[in-house]
């Protein structure tokens, strides 16, 4: 069993496949953090003793200018400003940033949590109304039409355990339960916190992180993923300073600008070696990640809902749940850390029938037609796409209300039959007749001032009394913290979806939140609005999923503005970025891959010159890049050449052929686009190394340049492999008469160990941004 709770010794240990996490109750009742790192290997000895009591690591010294709790008497060696803690509170003499801050009705901020009890139970805890990791990971091979949606009831699968440690502040009457979840097939430890007011007075939660980890020593680099609209999740790595480093969003969504995922890595850690720790939050709103190295060289990492613009009134007997954080430790470098997160999100976070099904190859109308379409034009786009093998047409923005530009119509979720020329059901039928599924775009959280909804309910949009609301993309945000608003929009959309054969929904969100004031909340509760908004979005998605369990829902927020593990609980894929330029996507998808699986990454081939950057790349290059995701198209395929059409036809066949490898296989970053200016390469391999797909894009173009080499991963060292260019890239290269070293050598067998240790020379490819995609098959 992975959890050892030694009540007599007050020593609590969690062991995963490769890590050990230990806590102990200190002499005065504080829950101290003892160790998180490489697996020690605990065993029950006698009546519950462990052979791995690591409390000797925690030292006690008299520290200058560090206070001591009153009950330590004359003992000056016990200071919470220096001791490693599991859930540090503001008001205990710890001057570092803390996990919990409570204000009472008199306005006093102080909380002092002491240990009360411990409990271990089978199964993984869940969190009411919020995303959480679940245990059951069986691959579901459901036939169409038999799917169910939710997994929200408490998970009792035997393959998981929950550790609950109850702490209490006796003055406030506050009970804080720290929850830890462990799955037998994962190296992840999940954490969440339940705060209950058992006292007689109302208190205010001013900050409640989901997790805190205090490291006793170590020189760490912080790896985080910053960005902007159209350039999300750019990796940045820098040494931790002796200062507080904060990663956060104040935008009401997890945001393009920062991602609720970061890594602390030892200085020498790289892809294949070294220690690193991942911190990932399953939450889609404002968050705060903190990494700080203190005066003694100890590092504290915190992650949770942001305390800015947050204040939660907790009346007697009420409970507050934090979002969940998923922690992971790897001793084998960053690729192993990513692999653990990929498996976790794919099997223990994403839900519904589409979790394990191959996602349909789609064509999206946005960059093909923008707002300018009717049913006939859509049918023309669909017909050409169907002829080449595309499986679904997605009708993007512009089908509803009075919506011929992005200035009007949001909130009016009824079909604009005049524009389409027929009912939506008819459009779906015409698409279905081509052998394709039909999908639809929605943006439920938003409202245009020029809409019937706004004219009827102006008070449903966030507006500060006495002020005019700030516009973003000329639209306002509906107050989803109010149930009646969510109910109304959900019913409108249900009506539309019920009257057409819809197989897919793209749920968009195209601006961040301002004017945070809810008519649904009292003055002292306005600080809850942003969190309640996120809960409203989750409620919308949960009920939409329940009503239409067969529909595949793709998340989107102006591309990747809400690309987080919380959303993946409701939408198994998310449009990764509005930037469809294949070369820019290399960096975006590279950064995204550290925390998120390929099956979550919405990625499409679009037209050239690219609509965002003006750059032109060949169709096979765009195809190879888009295949590192849920593959699709975002252009009118009637407008490309016959040769390109033939490449597209083969691309789709390739994608379908390799979809298991891509969606379910192991993913390897073979080079970094942030460092390597010559090429970017990545690979998918099957679990047993029987085959792999190498993908490489040349990003440098030089005269008489040095030969580049790429080393593969995930093959059997004693295996022999055949190399074969994929049909689509081979076809494109033949058309261009591009010399390709591998093409000439297809009969040759290569030893797996050599492909991994010595690598492969990258063939000479004339022209910028050439693609090379090779299927590597074990022959013996
Ligand atoms: C956002 C999305 C795009 C598209 C437009 C439609 O920007 O990210 O893919 O759906 O909205 O307005």
């Amino acid at each position: 069993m992975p959890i050892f709770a030694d009540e007599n010794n007050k020593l609590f240990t969690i062991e995963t496949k490769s890590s050990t996490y230990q806590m102990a109750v200190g002499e005065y009742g504080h829950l101290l953090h003892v160790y998180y790192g490489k697996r020690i290997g605990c065993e029950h000895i006698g009546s519950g003793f462990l052979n791995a009591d690591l409390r000797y690591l925690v030292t006690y010294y008299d520290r200058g200018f560090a206070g001591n709790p009153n009950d330590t008497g004359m003992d000056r060696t016990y200071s919470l400003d220096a001791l490693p803690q599991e859930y540090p509170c503001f008001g205990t003499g710890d001057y570092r940033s803390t996990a919990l801050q409570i204000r009472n009705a008199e306005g006093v901020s102080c909380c002092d949590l002491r240990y009360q009890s411990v409990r271990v139970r089978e199964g993984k805890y869940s969190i009411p109304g919020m995303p959480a990791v679940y245990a059951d990971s069986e691959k579901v091979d459901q036939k169409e039409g038999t799917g169910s949606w939710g997994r929200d009831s408490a998970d009792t699968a035997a393959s998981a355990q929950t550790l609950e440690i109850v702490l209490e502040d006796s003055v406030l009457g506050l009970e804080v339960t720290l929850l830890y979840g462990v799955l037998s097939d994962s190296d992840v430890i999940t954490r969440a916190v339940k705060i209950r007011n058992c006292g007689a007075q109302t208190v205010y939660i001013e900050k409640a992180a989901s997790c805190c980890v205090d490291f006793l020593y170590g020189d760490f680099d912080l790896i985080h993923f910053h960005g902007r609209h159209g350039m999300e999740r750019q990796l940045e790595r820098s040494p931790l300073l002796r200062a507080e480093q904060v990663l956060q969003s104040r935008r009401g969504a997890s945001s393009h600008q920062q991602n609720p995922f970061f890594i602390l890595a030892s200085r020498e850690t790289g892809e294949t070696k070294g220690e690193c720790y991942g911190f990932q939050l399953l939450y889609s709103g404002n968050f705060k990640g903190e990494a700080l190295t203190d005066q003694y060289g100890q590092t504290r990492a915190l992650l949770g809902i942001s305390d800015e613009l947050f204040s939660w009134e907790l009346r007697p007997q009420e409970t507050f749940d934090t979002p969940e954080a998923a922690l992971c430790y790897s001793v084998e470098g960053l690729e192993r850390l990513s692999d653990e997160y990929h498996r976790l999100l794919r099997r223990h976070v994403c839900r519904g029938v589409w979790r394990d099904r191959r996602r349909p190859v789609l064509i999206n109308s946005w960059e093909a037609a923008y707002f300018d379409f009717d049913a006939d034009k859509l049918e023309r786009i669909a017909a050409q796409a169907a002829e080449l093998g595309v499986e679904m047409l997605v009708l993007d923005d512009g089908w509803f209300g009075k919506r011929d530009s992005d200035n009007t119509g949001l909130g009016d979720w009824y079909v604009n039959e005049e524009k389409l020329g027929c009912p939506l059901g008819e459009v779906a039928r015409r698409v279905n007749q081509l052998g394709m599924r039909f999908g639809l775009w929605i943006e439920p959280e938003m409202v245009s001032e020029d809409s019937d909804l706004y004219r009827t309910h102006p008070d449903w949009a966030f507006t500060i009394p006495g002020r005019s609301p700030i516009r973003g993309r000329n639209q306002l945000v509906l107050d989803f913290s109010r149930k009646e608003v969510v109910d109304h929009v959900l019913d409108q959309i249900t009506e539309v979806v019920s009257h057409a054969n819809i197989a897919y929904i793209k749920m968009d969100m195209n601006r961040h939140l301002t004017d945070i004031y809810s008519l649904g909340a009292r003055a002292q509760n306005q600080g809850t609005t942003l969190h309640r908004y996120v809960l409203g979005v989750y409620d919308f998605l949960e009920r939409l999923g329940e009503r239409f369990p067969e529909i595949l829902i793709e998340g989107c927020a102006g591309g990747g503005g809400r690309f987080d593990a919380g959303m993946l609980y409701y939408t198994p894929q998310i449009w990764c970025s509005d930037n469809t330029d294949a070369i820019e996507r290399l960096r975006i998808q590279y950064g995204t891959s550290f925390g998120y699986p390929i099956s979550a990454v919405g990625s499409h081939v679009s037209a050239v010159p690219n609509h965002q950057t003006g750059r032109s790349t060949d169709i096979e290059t765009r195809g190879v890049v888009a295949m590192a995701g849920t593959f699709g198209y975002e252009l009118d395929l009637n407008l490309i050449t016959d040769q390109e059409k033939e490449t597209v036809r083969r691309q789709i066949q390739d994608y379908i052929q390799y979809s298991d490898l891509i969606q379910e296989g192991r993913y390897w970053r073979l080079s970094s686009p942030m460092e390597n200016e010559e090429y970017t390469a990545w690979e998918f391999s099957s679990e047993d190394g029987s085959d792999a797909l190498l993908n490489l894009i040349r990003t440098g173009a030089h005269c008489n340049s040095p030969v580049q080499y790429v080393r593969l991963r995930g093959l059997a060292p004693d295996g022999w492999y055949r190399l074969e260019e994929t049909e689509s890239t081979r076809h494109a290269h033949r058309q261009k008469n591009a010399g390709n070293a591998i093409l000439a050598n297809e009969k040759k067998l290569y030893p797996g160990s050599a492909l991994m240790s010595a690598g492969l020379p990258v063939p000479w490819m004339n022209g910028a941004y050439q693609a090379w995609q090779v299927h590597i098959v074990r022959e013996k």
Side-chain angles (χ1 to χ4, degrees):
M1 279 300 142
I3 297 177
F4 302 81
D6 182 346
E7 273 191 84
N8 293 336
N9 278 299
K10 303 216 171 30
L11 186 63
F12 315 124
T13 311
I14 299 170
E15 293 228 300
T16 69
K17 286 179 297 177
S18 357
S19 67
T20 294
Y21 189 109
Q22 193 168 81
M23 303 156 256
V25 180
E27 205 181 330
Y28 303 99
H30 302 97
L31 187 63
L32 304 181
H33 178 80
V34 178
Y35 174 75
Y36 186 25
K38 190 171 175 182
R39 190 169 201 273
I40 302 294
C42 297
E43 277 168 32
H44 274 285
I45 298 176
S47 58
F49 270 76
L50 293 170
N51 62 345
D53 180 347
L54 305 178
R55 276 178 290 195
Y56 70 89
L57 292 170
V58 181
T59 54
Y60 301 85
Y61 295 108
D62 179 357
R63 302 286 198 180
F65 280 75
N68 314 108
N70 198 276
D71 38 354
T72 63
M74 301 300 280
D75 179 3
R76 295 197 201 175
T77 67
Y78 190 99
S79 169
L80 294 174
D81 198 26
L83 284 170
Q85 293 157 77
E86 203 50 32
Y87 203 62
C89 315
F90 182 82
T92 61
D94 185 347
Y95 292 97
R96 295 169 287 185
S97 186
T98 51
L100 184 69
Q101 185 162 352
I102 302 288
R103 180 168 53 86
N104 71 7
E106 280 83 51
V108 179
S109 287
C110 183
C111 180
D112 184 0
L113 295 177
R114 308 285 174 116
Y115 171 78
Q116 281 305 309
S117 62
V118 68
R119 184 160 85 106
V120 180
R121 59 182 170 86
E122 295 307 305
K124 163 74 177 56
Y125 65 87
S126 58
I127 307 175
M130 268 196 284
V133 167
Y134 60 85
D136 164 27
S137 70
E138 286 305 298
K139 184 163 174 163
V140 210
D141 226 354
Q142 283 149 335
K143 297 214 170 16
E144 305 232 345
T146 63
S148 63
W149 168 244
R151 269 201 179 83
D152 222 16
S153 57
D155 198 330
T156 53
S159 52
Q161 281 192 326
T162 294
L163 171 67
E164 293 179 4
I165 303 179
V166 181
L167 311 175
E168 192 188 72
D169 179 308
S170 56
V171 176
L172 293 169
L174 200 70
E175 186 185 276
V176 173
T177 305
L178 307 185
L179 295 160
Y180 300 80
V182 207
L183 311 176
S184 60
D185 63 347
S186 170
D187 256 333
V188 168
I189 297 173
T190 68
R191 290 188 58 176
V193 181
K194 204 178 249 315
I195 303 171
R196 186 171 162 76
N197 185 351
C198 303
Q201 306 282 323
T202 294
V203 299
Y204 295 85
I205 304 171
E206 303 293 340
K207 181 179 184 184
S210 300
C211 67
C212 170
V213 179
D214 274 349
F215 297 93
L216 289 167
Y217 62 95
D219 276 332
F220 292 109
D221 281 350
L222 172 66
I223 301 175
H224 74 119
F225 304 90
H226 68 97
R228 56 184 187 271
H229 176 227
M231 207 61 195
E232 297 86 345
R233 290 170 298 287
Q234 301 297 292
L235 178 142
E236 188 169 67
R237 178 172 184 161
S238 50
L240 271 191
L241 305 172
R242 291 285 172 108
E244 303 189 351
Q245 279 134 105
V246 177
L247 319 164
Q248 72 170 335
S249 166
R250 301 186 184 94
R251 294 165 177 269
S254 48
S255 88
H256 309 82
Q257 287 72 11
Q258 288 289 348
N259 194 264
F261 172 59
F262 67 92
I263 299 169
L264 291 182
S266 298
R267 292 280 150 80
E268 72 286 355
T269 295
E271 282 289 359
T272 58
K273 64 165 182 47
E275 287 192 298
C276 48
Y277 298 83
F279 296 83
Q280 185 169 64
L281 194 64
L282 283 77
Y283 189 60
S284 312
N286 285 1
F287 70 91
K288 190 175 211 174
E290 297 170 76
L292 37 126
T293 304
D294 72 9
Q295 53 185 334
Y296 305 118
Q298 308 180 116
T299 294
R300 172 169 288 178
L302 293 155
L303 182 60
I305 197 165
S306 175
D307 56 337
E308 286 193 33
L309 310 167
F310 174 85
S311 173
W312 194 276
E313 185 191 35
L314 197 68
R315 289 186 285 193
Q317 301 314 314
E318 282 182 350
T319 298
F320 175 80
D321 290 285
T322 71
E324 180 167 74
L327 275 49
C328 184
Y329 166 81
S330 160
V331 69
E332 293 165 63
L334 297 163
E335 67 181 19
R336 178 68 203 281
L337 191 82
S338 296
D339 195 47
E340 285 295 325
Y341 278 117
H342 292 181
R343 287 168 201 273
L344 181 86
L345 296 182
R346 263 189 352 232
R347 285 275 190 276
H348 298 286
V349 173
C350 292
R351 297 179 297 165
V353 297
W354 286 100
R355 186 188 77 169
D356 301 327
R357 271 190 210 156
R358 180 176 69 72
R359 317 282 165 72
V361 175
L362 66 84
I363 184 151
N364 180 296
S365 69
W366 182 240
E367 288 194 29
Y370 294 102
F371 290 104
D372 178 19
F373 57 79
D374 58 14
D376 292 342
K377 183 168 178 183
L378 292 170
E379 193 176 357
R380 278 198 301 280
I381 293 172
Q384 175 60 83
E387 205 272 311
L388 297 176
V390 176
E391 300 166 307
M392 178 161 77
L393 175 89
V394 174
L395 174 51
D396 207 279
D397 198 351
W399 56 267
F400 53 91
K402 220 176 70 201
R403 180 84 168 164
D404 286 322
S405 75
D406 55 10
N407 295 320
T408 60
L410 287 169
D412 293 344
W413 300 107
Y414 46 82
V415 180
N416 187 342
E417 293 185 8
E418 202 183 317
K419 172 173 180 174
L420 285 171
C422 63
L424 192 69
E426 177 62 24
V427 181
R429 244 188 316 278
R430 284 161 73 174
V431 171
N432 291 160
Q433 268 162 14
L434 295 164
M436 295 170 106
R437 299 168 193 260
F438 179 68
L440 199 65
W441 177 96
I442 58 172
E443 196 183 357
E445 299 150 77
M446 299 294 154
V447 65
S448 307
E449 286 156 278
D450 186 358
S451 69
D452 294 343
L453 182 69
Y454 188 75
R455 281 183 282 273
T456 319
H457 296 288
D459 57 311
W460 282 8
F462 278 126
T463 310
I464 293 173
R467 297 183 191 273
S468 304
I470 291 160
R471 298 187 183 105
R473 207 195 192 196
N474 254 344
Q475 63 200 46
L476 305 181
V477 185
L478 290 173
D479 181 356
F480 259 42
S481 73
R482 290 167 68 183
K483 185 166 182 304
E484 68 269 32
V485 179
V486 176
D487 287 348
H488 173 88
V489 180
L490 182 63
D491 286 345
Q492 267 198 325
I493 287 169
T494 300
E495 183 69 13
V496 173
V497 176
S498 307
H499 287 92
N501 186 18
I502 287 168
Y504 159 109
I505 288 174
K506 175 173 168 189
M507 156 120 172
D508 210 340
M509 189 250 188
N510 275 313
R511 60 157 292 183
H512 289 142
L513 277 56
T514 55
D515 304 277
I516 307 306
Y517 174 84
S518 177
L519 280 171
R522 291 172 295 125
Q524 59 272 51
N525 256 332
Q526 291 300 331
T528 67
T529 302
L530 279 162
H531 181 51
R532 288 190 204 276
Y533 175 90
V534 177
L535 296 179
V537 173
Y538 289 157
D539 175 43
F540 176 91
L541 279 162
E542 186 68 31
R543 287 194 275 155
L544 187 67
E546 270 164 18
R547 286 182 193 183
F548 303 104
E550 280 290 327
I551 291 184
L552 168 61
I553 308 177
E554 175 156 357
C556 179
R562 201 160 54 183
F563 201 113
D564 56 68
M567 283 308 281
L568 288 174
Y569 189 68
Y570 305 93
T571 70
Q573 60 190 59
I574 302 174
W575 182 226
C576 186
S577 178
D578 272 351
N579 186 344
T580 56
D581 177 301
I583 304 309
E584 299 251 271
R585 274 282 182 134
L586 294 175
R587 287 179 171 220
I588 298 169
Q589 294 178 183
Y590 170 79
T592 305
S593 79
F594 280 81
Y596 305 97
I598 293 301
S599 59
V601 175
S603 197
H604 300 164
V605 173
S606 63
V608 289
N610 179 267
H611 292 191
Q612 291 82 42
T613 63
R615 187 196 328 250
S616 290
T617 53
D618 292 340
I619 192 93
E620 69 276 13
T621 300
R622 283 172 272 153
V624 169
V625 175
M627 278 189 214
T630 64
F631 190 61
Y633 292 84
E634 184 107 7
L635 74 169
D636 185 346
L637 291 167
N638 290 296
L639 306 179
I640 62 175
T641 66
D642 288 348
Q643 272 179 18
E644 288 174 325
K645 283 182 191 163
E646 194 45 43
T647 303
V648 166
R649 187 192 305 283
R650 289 166 197 242
Q651 244 164 23
I652 295 168
Q653 287 163 2
D654 282 344
Y655 182 72
I656 291 172
Q657 179 179 347
Y658 302 123
S659 60
D660 257 6
L661 257 186
I662 294 172
Q663 197 168 315
E664 304 273 324
R666 302 185 75 179
Y667 173 81
W668 309 92
R669 293 175 291 265
L670 302 181
S671 71
S672 160
M674 320 306 274
E675 289 162 9
N676 184 334
E677 293 183 353
E678 298 302 323
Y679 68 79
T680 300
W682 63 97
E683 182 195 330
F684 307 101
S685 75
S686 54
E687 291 287 343
D688 61 0
S690 57
D691 69 337
L693 189 67
L694 164 66
N695 304 269
L696 184 144
I697 306 293
R698 278 265 8 183
T699 45
H702 312 281
C703 163
N704 196 18
S705 64
V707 177
Q708 300 293 321
Y709 290 82
V710 60
R711 288 180 174 153
L712 304 186
R713 303 281 296 146
L715 306 178
D718 56 346
W720 286 83
Y721 290 86
R722 182 167 48 81
L723 271 53
E724 195 171 55
E725 240 198 321
T726 55
E727 283 291 323
S728 51
T729 54
R730 190 206 328 236
H731 170 79
H733 288 156
R734 284 221 174 107
Q735 298 300 319
K736 287 190 277 190
N737 283 326
N740 188 319
I742 290 305
L743 278 179
N745 272 325
E746 276 173 16
K747 296 276 176 300
K748 187 174 158 51
L749 291 188
Y750 297 78
S753 57
L755 290 174
M756 292 193 289
S757 304
L760 271 174
V762 177
W764 178 258
M765 293 183 279
N766 218 358
Y769 313 131
Q770 297 298 307
W772 192 43
Q773 192 180 42
V774 185
H775 189 214
I776 298 166
V777 193
R778 185 171 180 178
E779 286 292 322
K780 47 181 187 168

